[in-house]
Amino acid sequence: MTRLLIAGPHRYPDLARLWHRFVMRELVPAFAALELDVEVNIFCDANREQFEPRHFPGVRFTRSGPGMRDFMQFYDATLATACDFILFLDADTFILDGRWAASYFSRFDDPRVAA
């Protein structure tokens, strides 16, 4: 199965919860309908003790620390992740219609399209 990783860096858990809600409500089902195995990864850029996993079901957390001090290092490390596609979504990015976003996925069938 083709794997899609949705990844976003977050500093504030309240904003991350809003982001998580729309990702799980809109994007994950829309991409799963395309028969993609979808994983969501949140990078805790700060305030990591405030990111309670019970508020983020279905999420894998990456914590800041040595070797991954900030969101730029998170982006670099994520590019090395074993997956077929990565969708980076910043904390202030919200997509209100997941079907709209998923409708563009077929463009990757064209070998001239990379991003």
Side-chain angles (χ1 to χ4, degrees), residues 9 11 43 45 64-65 67-75:
R11 290 184 153 267
F43 174 64
D45 197 13
S64 61
M68 197 174 310
R69 294 179 311 258
D70 60 19
F71 71 95
M72 293 306 294
Q73 289 183 333
F74 166 71
Y75 288 146

Side-chain angles (χ1 to χ4, degrees), residues 30-31 33-34 42 46-47 49 52 58 63 65-66 71 76-78 80 82 85 88 96 100 106 111 115:
F31 285 116
L34 299 177
I42 290 179
N47 307 307
E49 69 284 347
E52 297 180 38
R63 311 280 183 188
F71 71 95
D76 289 342
T78 301
F85 296 93
F88 286 115
L96 301 177
W100 170 82
S106 64

Side-chain angles (χ1 to χ4, degrees), residues 30-102:
F31 285 116
L34 299 177
E35 299 185 7
L36 297 171
D37 180 23
V38 183
E39 179 182 357
V40 179
N41 183 2
I42 290 179
F43 174 64
C44 301
D45 197 13
N47 307 307
R48 68 184 191 186
E49 69 284 347
Q50 295 176 18
F51 284 80
E52 297 180 38
R54 66 185 172 98
H55 293 302
F56 300 92
V59 166
R60 176 172 56 92
F61 285 103
T62 301
R63 311 280 183 188
S64 61
M68 197 174 310
R69 294 179 311 258
D70 60 19
F71 71 95
M72 293 306 294
Q73 289 183 333
F74 166 71
Y75 288 146
D76 289 342
T78 301
L79 289 172
T81 301
C83 63
D84 299 293
F85 296 93
I86 298 171
L87 173 58
F88 286 115
L89 283 177
D90 286 340
D92 59 353
T93 303
F94 293 85
I95 298 171
L96 301 177
D97 184 354
R99 292 172 301 168
W100 170 82

